[in-house]
Structures are given as structure tokens and as C-alpha cells.
Amino acid sequence: MSASHGYLTTHVLDTARGCPAAGLKIELYRLDGEIRQQIAVTLTNDDGRTDSPILPADEFATGAYELVFHAGAYLETALGIAADQVFLDVVPIRFVMTEADSHYHVPLLLSPYGYSTYRGS
């Protein structure tokens, strides 16, 4: 059996300010039913990306995952929203990766009152 060549990346864009969301904390969990195993914690860089794949090829495995974006803390700092006025706090995105040799990219488009995501390229 050959090694997997798949990997996972993410990118966060601040659609309210029209720029990358720098300094946003992201956690990655592997899911097994109701069990969540944390496998990565990182911050976005000045381009709104992580410095390396959040799940690199040497750690990649197919299955169910959850990315947790700490939007509230970012929005408080970036937009000056008071902590008690933040609408979005933590944004979880659950998804399944089924192809062992694919690049999965899960971007987040973030504003103070909404977000969207998709499978990017």
C-alpha cells in the first residue's frame, strides 16, 4: 500500500473589510462518531492562510473532520466589536475527505453576521 499524498488547506477572508483575516485561530479535529480528536491548532498568517497545510500529506487520512474557526476573537480585534456584541463566536465546519490523493481546500468567507464556505481548489 502506498502512502497518501492528500493534504488539507484553508484560507480565511474578511469580507467586511475586503482583506485576508490575519491572526485567526483555527483548530482541526478528526471525528469518529461523537469522538473529536484535536490534531492541529494554528493561526492564520497575513494572507489569511496557514503557513503550511493544516493537515499535511504525511499525516493525511481520509475520514470525517471538523475545522473550528475562532471568529469572535478575530472580529473583536479586527473590527473593534465589543465581546458582548459579537454575533458569530466559533464557526465549526464538518466535512468528509474520501480521496486519499486529493488536495482538499476549505476556505471561510467571514463577516460579522454571516459566513460561507465551499470546497475550494
Side-chain angles (χ1 to χ4, degrees):
M1 180 150 107
S2 63
S4 166
H5 293 13
Y7 61 103
L8 171 66
T9 57
T10 188
H11 188 196
V12 185
L13 296 173
D14 180 334
T15 59
R17 297 188 315 146
C19 64
L24 191 144
K25 179 180 174 184
I26 303 170
E27 298 171 296
L28 176 64
Y29 294 88
R30 183 171 286 123
L31 304 175
D32 183 8
E34 293 301 312
I35 299 170
R36 295 169 73 222
Q37 176 192 5
Q38 187 179 70
I39 54 176
V41 179
T42 190
L43 294 174
T44 56
N45 59 26
D46 289 343
D47 193 35
R49 301 176 186 273
T50 57
D51 287 332
S52 59
I54 195 163
L55 186 59
D58 62 345
E59 298 174 27
F60 187 87
T62 59
Y65 289 85
E66 180 180 51
L67 280 167
V68 177
F69 298 89
H70 291 264
Y74 168 79
L75 293 167
E76 287 175 41
T77 302
L79 298 178
I81 299 173
D84 64 348
Q85 297 298 307
V86 170
F87 178 69
L88 292 175
D89 185 21
V90 175
V91 175
I93 299 173
R94 289 191 172 189
F95 55 98
V96 178
M97 297 187 291
T98 58
E99 301 168 7
D101 291 325
S102 286
H103 171 202
Y104 286 84
H105 183 67
V106 181
L108 180 71
L109 306 176
L110 178 65
S111 75
Y113 300 103
Y115 66 90
S116 65
T117 190
Y118 55 94
R119 181 174 176 187
S121 57

